[in-house]
Amino acid sequence: MLDHIFGAKNFQSEIIWAYKRWSNSKKGLLPSHQNIYFYSKTKDFKFNTLYKPYSETTNIDQILQRRTRDRHNKSVYDKDSLGNSINGAEKKGVPLSDVWDIPYLNPKAKERVGYPTQKPLLLLEQVINLVTAEGDIVLDPFCGSGTTCVAAKLLGRNFIGIDESLDAVNLSKDRIDNPIKTESNLLKNGRDSYNNVEHSVLNFLKGIEFNPIQRNKGIDAILIKQYEGTPVLVKVQKDNETLGEAIKLLSNAMKTKKAKKAFLIQTSDENELYKMDIENFGMSIIISPALELSRQLAKIYI
Ligand SMILES: C[S@@+](CC[C@H](N)C(=O)[O-])C[C@H]1O[C@@H](n2cnc3c(N)ncnc32)[C@H](O)[C@@H]1O
């Protein structure tokens, strides 16, 4: 039907919305996805590439190093005339794929209004972010409980919702006036890819764009913004590391990743002699808020 309405040529993607569900019922595979058909009206449509964090299995060199094709058209790391690897351009993460991992609204979610087919706001927000800009008009001709309209409102878009059911229209109006969005712990605390990165690291970097780095002793994150064409590395001093050890790990990482700038977040108190020489090679130490607080408290209580 959509092929008929929009033209098969205007089919863009079949999006799989996948989620976890728990059920012990019937024999067979548990249904845990829905299909979204993405069509445009013409060839010329708005599209904002969205980025997601790299998965934990991504090799850090894949993020940092420039790649090229060899004579067999195989992707290889680019080298300079001396055979050294070359840093690539800034990378924002992995472009959003056509498989979307967005939690299903659980039956007790605050966001739930009792509409059987209600979709999560996060899902509609992703759709709207992908293909519209602020101020655009979003139309949902089968708006049900009004999720699309609420998502559009929260994102600064205009909207039109239509439904043949008066109950649906009234419910939608109520929700538009009082939008309630359930914070997803999964998304708030990080997706699967973040599971191995200490939560402290994520908290320290809240509000800045970065790629978390897994299973690397010297680096916990790489900022999206580069410094003079080189990656900016961040490490948090771990409980089992002295400041000296943390500096050593981070400075080794700076060498291998050819980074000119790095930040070490210091979490435990020690003398600060190290600070003198590290600044010369581009590393800065930032005192964690908890450490700073305990220092200040120590002064108060003397
Ligand atoms: C699957 S629900 C939409 C649920 C919505 N996405 C949400 O998050 O709440 C589909 C809605 O389409 C409405 N509907 C079905 N046929 C319609 C028609 N011909 N004209 C207008 N609305 C219609 C139904 O009343 C129902 O509320």
Side-chain angles (χ1 to χ4, degrees):
M1 233 168 128
L2 289 164
D3 274 351
H4 178 68
I5 294 168
F6 294 101
K9 274 197 294 205
N10 291 320
F11 167 77
Q12 301 300 337
S13 298
E14 176 173 2
I15 297 164
I16 304 298
W17 167 36
Y19 38 80
K20 298 261 182 304
R21 284 179 82 186
W22 287 267
S23 166
N24 46 12
S25 56
K26 72 172 193 180
K27 193 171 175 182
L29 298 174
L30 179 70
S32 60
H33 80 273
Q34 291 184 28
N35 310 54
I36 300 173
Y37 295 100
F38 171 14
Y39 281 76
S40 57
K41 186 173 167 190
T42 64
K43 259 196 272 170
D44 183 24
F45 60 98
K46 209 172 270 177
F47 187 85
N48 309 311
T49 305
L50 304 179
Y51 294 90
K52 296 285 156 183
Y54 291 99
S55 80
E56 62 177 280
T57 49
T58 307
N59 181 325
I60 172 172
D61 290 329
Q62 262 171 292
I63 303 176
L64 292 179
Q65 293 182 21
R66 195 165 85 189
R67 290 204 264 175
T68 184
R69 298 259 163 198
D70 71 5
R71 57 198 171 85
H72 307 295
N73 203 29
K74 190 177 148 204
S75 171
V76 290
Y77 294 123
D78 209 0
K79 304 267 184 219
D80 65 16
S81 54
L82 298 171
N84 297 319
S85 55
I86 304 168
N87 281 321
E90 288 179 3
K91 303 232 176 81
K92 294 180 180 164
V94 193
L96 181 66
S97 77
D98 55 8
V99 179
W100 294 5
D101 166 22
I102 293 180
Y104 200 77
L105 271 187
N106 80 55
K108 291 201 191 113
K110 274 199 223 133
E111 190 178 313
R112 263 217 181 276
V113 290
Y115 207 79
T117 54
Q118 184 182 344
K119 304 289 176 289
L121 273 168
L122 283 167
L123 177 69
L124 272 306
E125 282 180 335
Q126 186 145 290
V127 170
I128 291 170
N129 276 326
L130 196 64
V131 288
T132 70
E134 268 188 50
D136 283 353
I137 303 176
V138 177
L139 168 72
D140 186 346
F142 308 92
C143 72
S145 62
T147 314
T148 311
C149 302
V150 176
K153 181 178 175 182
L154 293 174
L155 294 171
R157 274 68 168 171
N158 298 305
F159 49 86
I160 300 170
I162 303 172
D163 204 288
E164 64 176 4
S165 144
L166 192 58
D167 285 347
V169 171
N170 287 333
L171 186 57
S172 296
K173 281 186 180 161
D174 280 352
R175 270 185 91 196
I176 292 163
D177 291 340
N178 295 300
I180 295 176
K181 184 169 158 189
T182 309
E183 288 281 323
S184 155
N185 283 334
L186 178 73
L187 297 182
K188 198 169 60 188
N189 298 335
R191 305 169 161 277
D192 291 353
S193 65
Y194 284 110
N195 278 349
N196 298 332
V197 178
E198 298 214 350
H199 283 300
S200 62
V201 178
L202 298 172
N203 286 333
F204 281 130
L205 297 182
K206 223 172 180 173
I208 192 163
E209 287 191 302
F210 67 96
N211 285 310
I213 300 300
Q214 316 280 342
R215 297 169 306 173
N216 187 303
K217 278 189 174 169
I219 316 170
D220 291 310
I222 296 176
L223 302 191
I224 302 279
K225 254 213 134 8
Q226 292 189 335
Y227 172 74
E228 292 183 354
T230 68
V232 179
L233 315 182
V234 181
K235 172 174 170 61
V236 177
Q237 179 192 5
K238 305 288 158 16
D239 289 346
N240 58 356
E241 286 167 358
T242 64
L243 188 60
E245 285 164 349
I247 290 173
K248 195 147 196 269
L249 288 166
L250 182 56
S251 65
N252 285 343
M254 285 178 79
K255 270 181 227 139
T256 54
K257 304 305 168 203
K258 297 192 185 67
K260 293 186 187 164
K261 197 126 226 56
F263 293 95
L264 177 63
I265 301 178
Q266 184 184 351
T267 56
S268 74
D269 225 344
E270 279 170 61
N271 68 54
E272 284 177 63
L273 288 178
Y274 301 103
K275 218 170 172 178
M276 315 307 277
D277 37 336
I278 58 163
E279 270 166 10
N280 291 334
F281 63 88
M283 190 191 297
S284 311
I285 293 186
I286 298 172
I287 311 289
S288 75
L291 177 56
E292 183 58 36
L293 259 175
S294 65
R295 281 182 182 177
Q296 304 245 359
L297 287 174
K299 277 190 218 148
I300 297 174
Y301 293 125
I302 276 171

